[in-house]
Amino acid sequence: MLTHLQKGCTTKEIRERTGHVVALKNISFSVKKGEIFVLMGLSGCGKSTLLRCLNRLISPTAGSILLDGEDIASVSTERMRTIRRSRMGMVFQSFALLPHKNIQDNVAFGLEIQGISAEERAGIAKETLDLVGLSGYENSYPDQLSGGMKQRVGLARAIASSPDILLMDEAFSALDPMIRRDMQNELLDIQDRLEKTIIFVSHDLDEALKLGTRIGLMKAGEIVQIGTPEEILTQPKNEFVERFVEDVDLSRVLTAKDVMKVPDPMIHASSGPHVALRMMKEAGISTIFVVAKNRELKGIITADDALRAGKEGLTLQDIIIPDVVTLSLDTPVADIIPVIADSKFPIAVINEEKRLKGVIVRGSVLAALGRTGASL
């Protein structure tokens, strides 16, 4: 089969000549430590097969799979078992819980296989259940839980052994939409705390855009484009990708970080009104943000107030408007639209330390949404 593939035969020709199916071909990508890399595509494109190759549940016919420089495609079965137990966790779509074990023992099952003492694995299981919001359900059994709760148990079992890598195969696709959104948010919260390397398989574009640091879009056993969610949406490499993303509501994907402008100019709180007026005149703006040390946002001043302050001998402190509207970097554009529509001033984008990181004006939002024909 490989000979036919190297000669340029199509997958259809190979199947007709050899009876074999080419599930994956010409796959090459890397995953960065601590990111959520989403493999997505239509049913049958090979994404789940690819995920199972990564932990050798399916052994690839050819090629290498490098984990910190070690080619796990060629290691022994025993070595692969050790890698799975210590470095990889997997969450399945079907939950795959053991019905005869309670929830605590299900979560601790991998630790039991590793030979960890009953007392230690019970402690780890309880901590992990608390992490996924299931504290108090240790003695329940799988048939007593809802679908969302079962999936939380599956996630807890995967992370209980503290693996470096989590492989998640359509982990939330069997859940109701509301529970699915809750699980997506739960995963993002856990990722903020644990910073695992996660490879997540999904056929749902909205899910991929929400979860993925980067996305690998697959078609017929090949990866056709890899990029950040915004790159996939705004820079599709071919017609297939373009069609795949054409119905996405960009306002629910882009965030303040994607549409904000560099906050230039801005003025330090120790400056004076004449300096503020000059900076606004040169930039062609009628307001300017005031910052203190380390760009900590103090407020905004208008050109009219700066002109008045210059005439009356006032300082910037006398005319600062402190109650300005602020947004975080990850605020979705969909939430920005009503805010900016009601605000007479530009919107300040700040980080957790209240440092000014960007400015949002109506025009920058319109420009971003204009890529998909949306409007305010």
Side-chain angles (χ1 to χ4, degrees):
M1 182 175 68
L2 287 176
T3 303
H4 291 295
L5 197 60
Q6 291 164 357
K7 289 180 179 179
C9 294
T10 66
T11 54
K12 181 180 179 181
E13 290 171 338
I14 293 173
R15 186 173 67 252
E16 291 173 347
R17 296 179 186 180
T18 68
H20 295 294
V21 175
V22 179
L24 303 169
K25 61 178 179 178
N26 301 323
I27 296 287
S28 180
F29 68 101
S30 60
V31 179
K32 301 172 185 176
K33 183 178 180 180
E35 76 169 330
I36 301 180
F37 187 92
V38 179
L39 291 169
M40 71 161 304
L42 302 175
S43 296
C45 70
K47 54 189 184 295
S48 292
T49 299
L50 177 54
L51 189 76
R52 282 165 166 74
C53 284
L54 299 181
N55 65 356
R56 287 267 307 277
L57 290 179
I58 297 175
S59 292
T61 307
S64 300
I65 304 169
L66 300 178
L67 177 59
D68 291 338
E70 181 179 14
D71 184 4
I72 62 175
S74 58
V75 299
S76 66
T77 301
E78 187 58 37
R79 172 59 182 157
M80 195 63 231
R81 286 199 190 100
T82 301
I83 292 172
R84 289 196 198 109
R85 290 171 182 170
S86 61
R87 302 207 60 187
M88 293 182 173
M90 188 159 186
V91 183
F92 299 90
Q93 176 183 350
S94 59
F95 313 139
L97 303 182
L98 300 172
H100 61 287
K101 289 181 176 289
N102 65 24
I103 299 311
Q104 179 173 301
D105 290 342
N106 262 281
V107 172
F109 184 65
L111 302 173
E112 182 181 356
I113 292 176
Q114 293 179 34
I116 294 175
S117 68
E119 182 180 357
E120 184 177 354
R121 64 177 184 257
I124 294 173
K126 287 181 179 180
E127 290 178 5
T128 311
L129 284 169
D130 183 56
L131 183 66
V132 300
L134 286 179
S135 181
Y137 287 90
E138 293 86 355
N139 295 318
S140 300
Y141 284 82
D143 62 359
Q144 297 174 307
L145 304 184
S146 68
M149 295 169 77
K150 290 177 183 177
Q151 195 57 281
R152 289 172 188 264
V153 176
L155 180 58
R157 180 179 56 192
I159 62 179
S161 59
S162 191
D164 301 317
I165 301 166
L166 276 179
L167 305 178
M168 304 185 70
D169 187 14
E170 301 271 12
F172 307 146
S173 63
L175 304 175
D176 293 335
M178 186 177 294
I179 299 174
R180 186 173 186 168
R181 287 194 295 271
D182 289 343
M183 285 302 303
Q184 291 166 356
N185 292 333
E186 187 78 34
L187 178 63
L188 291 173
D189 289 342
I190 291 172
Q191 176 67 350
D192 285 341
R193 283 174 278 177
L194 300 184
E195 296 184 341
K196 298 294 183 182
T197 301
I198 301 174
I199 304 175
F200 191 102
V201 165
S202 177
H203 65 270
D204 186 313
L205 180 57
D206 288 334
E207 182 171 70
L209 295 172
K210 180 176 182 177
L211 297 179
T213 309
R214 289 186 301 147
I215 297 169
L217 185 57
M218 296 186 66
K219 177 187 178 185
E222 297 183 271
I223 294 181
V224 295
Q225 184 171 350
I226 293 176
T228 65
E230 185 175 4
E231 288 169 346
I232 294 290
L233 284 175
T234 62
Q235 302 170 38
K237 283 192 173 181
N238 54 38
E239 185 180 353
F240 172 78
V241 181
E242 191 172 337
R243 290 202 316 271
F244 205 98
V245 303
E246 63 184 357
D247 294 327
V248 172
D249 181 357
L250 203 60
S251 72
R252 299 193 177 279
V253 178
L254 298 180
T255 64
K257 180 174 62 176
D258 301 316
V259 301
M260 69 185 188
K261 298 171 59 179
V262 175
D264 184 36
M266 53 186 161
I267 190 168
H268 196 276
S270 62
S271 294
H274 293 289
V275 175
L277 273 173
R278 180 181 179 86
M279 293 174 70
M280 284 187 273
K281 182 179 179 181
E282 290 180 349
I285 56 178
S286 59
T287 58
I288 190 169
F289 284 107
V290 183
V291 297
K293 185 178 180 182
N294 294 324
R295 280 194 177 185
E296 181 185 356
L297 180 65
K298 305 304 291 184
I300 195 170
I301 61 171
T302 67
D304 288 342
D305 284 344
L307 182 61
R308 176 174 59 85
K311 292 178 179 179
E312 298 177 5
L314 303 175
T315 68
L316 286 189
Q317 299 296 330
D318 298 319
I319 60 172
I320 288 176
I321 302 170
D323 298 326
V324 295
V325 178
T326 61
L327 298 171
S328 63
L329 289 161
D330 58 359
T331 303
V333 168
D335 295 337
I336 295 173
I337 292 172
V339 175
I340 201 168
D342 293 336
S343 177
K344 60 180 180 179
F345 298 132
I347 307 298
V349 182
I350 59 174
N351 64 8
E352 294 178 354
E353 289 77 36
K354 297 184 179 180
R355 294 177 183 173
L356 184 63
K357 305 298 291 185
V359 176
I360 295 178
V361 297
R362 185 182 175 90
S364 63
V365 177
L366 281 169
L369 293 178
R371 300 172 200 162
T372 59
S375 60
L376 289 178

